[in-house]
Amino acid sequence: MHFETITPADDTWQEQALCAQTGPDFFFPEPGSSVRDAKRICALCELRPACLEYALANDERFGVWGGLSEKERLALRRPAR
Ligand code: SF4
């Protein structure tokens, strides 16, 4: 599957990113607080596949990216056994 790729240098994708409109607070919650609101926003975001791919490719450790939490992305990165 091919996704549109996004890079930090290309900030046009951020104009389409719903999180850019809501602000970062939802996406980088305090440890232990809920990521449910962020995930709800990601679910409506057109960039979700590209965003998730970007986060995985760049090893983003913190916050919600592409609708997945830190732990969920970590699980995706681990090879399946
Ligand atoms: S998928 Fe979520 S984190 Fe990624 S750009 Fe969209 S709203 Fe932001």
Side-chain angles (χ1 to χ4, degrees):
M1 203 181 308
H2 174 75
F3 296 127
E4 177 191 356
T5 45
I6 54 182
T7 66
D10 171 16
D11 56 8
T12 53
W13 68 276
Q14 291 177 344
E15 288 168 16
Q16 293 164 265
L18 287 180
C19 54
Q21 294 162 36
T22 60
D25 294 357
F26 285 125
F27 294 86
F28 296 96
E30 294 293 313
S33 58
S34 173
V35 295
R36 202 176 44 191
D37 288 338
K39 287 181 163 193
R40 211 176 285 161
I41 295 168
C42 291
L44 300 171
C45 177
E46 289 182 9
L47 294 172
R48 198 162 75 87
C51 177
L52 179 59
E53 187 178 82
Y54 171 85
L56 293 173
N58 291 280
D59 203 18
E60 292 286 354
R61 295 285 165 96
F62 302 104
V64 174
W65 289 78
L68 296 187
S69 68
E70 296 155 24
K71 281 185 190 162
E72 288 165 337
R73 289 198 310 280
L74 193 63
L76 262 190
R77 278 202 300 268
R78 282 201 199 111
R81 287 170 195 248

